[in-house]
Amino acid sequence: MRWSCCSPVQTATYPRVDEGAEVTAPMSRQGDFCRSSLRAKGRCVLATALALSALVLASCKGPPAAPGHGSEDGCAACGDGSGVPEGEGDEPPPVECDEPKEAGSGEDELPEFEWPPPKPSASVFVPRDLVLGADAAPTLGSSAARLEAALTRAGFAEWGYYHVPGGFALVSRLEQIERDGNPHRDRWAVDVSPRRAFSLWTYVSALFSATTGRFRVIVFVVTDTPFRPTAPPPDGPTAIAWLEQGMTGLPAPVRGRPYTTEHTCKALIYEFFKATPDHDAAIELPSHLDGRAHLTKAGIWGGLGG
Amino acid sequence: MRPIPMRQARRRLAVIWLAGGGVLFVIIVLQSIFGKFGDKVDEAFQWFLPAIVPTCSLILGVLLASALALSREVKLVDRFVYRLTAALSLAYLLMVSLSILMSPFSETPPLELMRQSNLWLGPLQGLVGGALGLFFVSKEKENPVDGGG
C-alpha cells in the first residue's frame, strides 16, 4: 500500500491501512514530509493548515487608520463601513464619499451638507451687493467673512461650515423666536422656558394654556450651482446637530476661490414649532413670515447693510 | 373618643372624594379645551381617571346600595379610624392636585410631571384604599353602644 502526499496542490487518496502494515509514501514536490504512517498524515494536515493561514493573513488588510481630525475628514452623507458606530467617541469615523472631492482643494476637509438641501420654511436670495459689499475681487472667503460679520452683529456667536457643490453652506445656531420673528428673551434655549412673571392672571393663563415654543435655523448656501430644495425637511434634533457637525471656518483653499458671477447666496430658513413642552418641535411648512422678514427680525439683513 | 355612625362617616368621606375629584376633573377638562395638552389629551386622562374614578365609583355605589336598603340598625365606627381615613383621603387628593396645579411652576412638561407623580401616588393610593375598605366594603355589624373610648 502506498500513501499519496497530502499537499494542497495534489489530490490525495488514503487507502485503508491495516494495523501493523508497513506503508511507504513517495516524496512530494513541497518537501520530504510525507511518510507512510498516521503521524505523517497528521503533520501533513498541520502543514497544510499553516500554509492556508499564512495565505489568509498575507491577504488580510487592516482597517484604515483613523485620522486625527474631526468631522471635516468625513462625508456626512455617506457611510464608511469601518464598523465604528456613529456617534461614539469624539470624532466621526472616516468615510469614503460616493462623490470624491478634489484632492488638495480643501473641500475634503469640509463635511458635506445634504444636497439638494432640505425643504425650508422660507427662503430668500441675499443680494450680491450685500454679500460682497464693495469688494473688487471677491472670493468665497470674503463672502464668508461678511456673512460671519453680519451674524456677529446680530448676536450669533456660533456657526458651522459645510461643503456644497461649487461653494459652501453656513449654518447658524438654533435660536428661539417669538411668533413675529423677533428673538425670544431666552434666545439660545433649545427648550421651551416656563413663564417667569408671576401674577394671578399669569398663573391662571399658564395653568390652562400651553407654553409654546418657536425656533429657527438659518442656512446660507453660497454656490454657483442652481438647486431646488427638495429633500425632506429636518426635525429639531437634526437642526441642532447641523451646528455641532459643521466646521468652524472655511479651509484656506476654499477661501481663496473666486466668487464668480455665477455664484449666488440663498438663505434657507428652517422654523420649528413646539405646541407644548411635551411635544417634539415640528417643522413649520411654510412659515407665516417670508425669508426677508426672518433675516430682518434676526438682525442679519441689517448687519449685511440692507 | 366617641364612635361615629357609619352612615355619617360614609357621607363625609363621599363629600371629600366627590367634591375633590369633581373639581380636579373640571380643571382637567378646561385644560383640554384650551389646548394645554395639545393633541395628547388622552395621555392626561389616562393618568387622571385611574387616580380618581375607581374610588369615587366605589363610594357612590355603596351609598346608592345603602340608600335602597335602609335599616334601623346603627353601625358605629371608631372616630379615630374615621379621622385617619379622612386625612389620608385629603392627603391623596392634595397630591393629585399638586401634580396639576404646580405644573406652571415646574420646568418639567405637564404630562411628564403627571407620569412622575405615579411614583408617590401609587403607595399613597394603596393606603387610602385600605382605609376606605373599612367604610365601603366591610359588612361588620355592631350593636349600638354608648360612647366608650
Side-chain angles (χ1 to χ4, degrees):
Chain A
M1 295 181 189
R2 290 181 177 269
W3 284 96
S4 299
C5 178
C6 50
S7 75
V9 298
Q10 298 179 10
T11 56
T13 57
Y14 303 95
R16 181 174 177 166
V17 179
D18 294 331
E19 186 174 345
E22 186 176 330
V23 295
T24 59
M27 294 281 290
S28 73
R29 285 177 284 179
Q30 295 179 357
D32 184 14
F33 51 80
C34 289
R35 299 185 181 179
S36 58
S37 66
L38 291 176
R39 187 181 300 174
K41 179 184 177 184
R43 288 184 182 177
C44 193
V45 171
L46 178 62
T48 304
L50 288 174
L52 286 175
S53 300
L55 205 62
V56 170
L57 285 172
S59 63
C60 183
K61 296 181 181 178
H69 300 285
S71 57
E72 60 268 26
D73 291 318
C75 171
C78 307
D80 64 334
S82 66
V84 177
E86 291 184 1
E88 287 192 2
D90 296 331
E91 302 166 0
V95 297
E96 290 183 4
C97 184
D98 289 335
E99 300 176 352
K101 301 167 187 172
E102 187 179 338
S105 65
E107 291 180 341
D108 51 350
E109 299 178 21
L110 278 176
E112 197 74 26
F113 194 75
E114 190 173 357
W115 194 263
K119 197 171 181 182
S121 305
S123 63
V124 62
F125 277 103
V126 181
R128 190 181 181 86
D129 58 334
L130 295 185
V131 178
L132 303 177
D135 196 343
T139 62
L140 293 184
S142 62
S143 65
R146 280 188 62 84
L147 291 173
E148 286 184 13
L151 287 172
T152 302
R153 289 193 202 99
F156 291 84
E158 298 172 84
W159 45 78
Y161 282 95
Y162 287 83
H163 170 263
V164 297
F168 63 89
L170 175 59
V171 178
S172 73
R173 180 185 169 136
L174 182 80
E175 59 173 333
Q176 189 172 175
I177 61 174
E178 302 285 356
R179 180 175 168 77
D180 60 0
N182 283 314
H184 192 271
R185 67 167 185 270
D186 294 322
R187 187 177 187 182
W188 307 116
V190 296
D191 274 326
V192 178
S193 308
R195 302 173 201 197
R196 301 243 177 95
F198 180 74
S199 67
L200 182 60
W201 171 247
T202 305
Y203 172 75
V204 172
S205 174
L207 180 64
F208 291 103
S209 63
T211 304
T212 61
R214 284 185 184 276
F215 304 87
R216 173 174 63 201
V217 170
I218 302 172
V219 180
F220 294 95
V221 179
V222 176
T223 179
D224 60 359
T225 305
F227 66 94
R228 186 161 62 100
T230 53
D235 55 13
T238 302
I240 294 174
W242 281 345
L243 179 69
E244 297 168 355
Q245 296 173 3
M247 211 169 161
T248 56
L250 283 178
V254 178
R255 284 203 306 269
R257 290 190 180 172
Y259 192 103
T260 69
T261 55
E262 301 296 321
H263 278 87
T264 58
C265 176
K266 188 167 188 180
L268 307 177
I269 294 95
Y270 299 91
E271 183 180 353
F272 302 90
F273 178 67
K274 208 170 183 182
T276 73
D278 288 294
H279 284 71
D280 295 327
I283 189 80
E284 284 271 277
L285 281 176
S287 171
H288 62 286
L289 298 174
D290 64 5
R292 178 163 177 175
H294 274 291
L295 292 186
T296 302
K297 297 290 186 177
I300 298 174
W301 195 269
L304 286 170
Chain B
M1 190 173 291
R2 288 194 332 176
I4 182 174
M6 177 68 84
R7 186 172 296 173
Q8 183 178 358
R10 283 179 177 173
R11 288 176 179 174
R12 290 179 179 179
L13 289 173
V15 168
I16 291 172
W17 273 92
L18 294 177
V23 169
L24 294 176
F25 180 74
V26 170
I27 292 175
I28 291 285
V29 169
L30 288 176
Q31 287 181 326
S32 303
I33 291 173
F34 288 113
K36 174 75 171 179
F37 309 114
D39 59 355
K40 296 185 177 182
V41 177
D42 57 332
E43 292 187 25
F45 277 92
Q46 283 174 6
W47 169 82
F48 177 76
L49 293 179
I52 298 293
V53 171
T55 305
C56 290
S57 300
L58 171 67
I59 292 173
L60 202 57
V62 171
L63 283 180
L64 292 175
S66 62
L68 296 176
L70 291 175
S71 170
R72 291 180 176 275
E73 186 177 1
V74 178
K75 300 177 184 177
L76 297 177
V77 67
D78 187 356
R79 188 177 291 267
F80 173 77
V81 174
Y82 157 71
R83 287 178 176 174
L84 180 63
T85 304
L88 285 173
S89 299
L90 287 170
Y92 177 78
L93 290 171
L94 179 65
M95 288 294 110
V96 175
S97 60
L98 282 179
S99 303
I100 299 171
L101 301 177
M102 290 293 109
S103 64
F105 302 106
S106 175
E107 297 271 349
T108 306
L111 290 175
E112 180 61 30
L113 185 61
M114 288 177 177
R115 283 189 285 268
Q116 288 182 3
S117 70
N118 289 326
L119 293 173
W120 53 82
L121 289 180
L124 198 53
Q125 192 174 38
L127 295 177
V128 173
L132 287 174
L134 173 68
F135 297 88
F136 295 98
V137 176
S138 171
K139 296 184 177 180
E140 179 184 16
K141 294 183 179 179
E142 292 185 10
N143 294 324
V145 295
D146 57 350

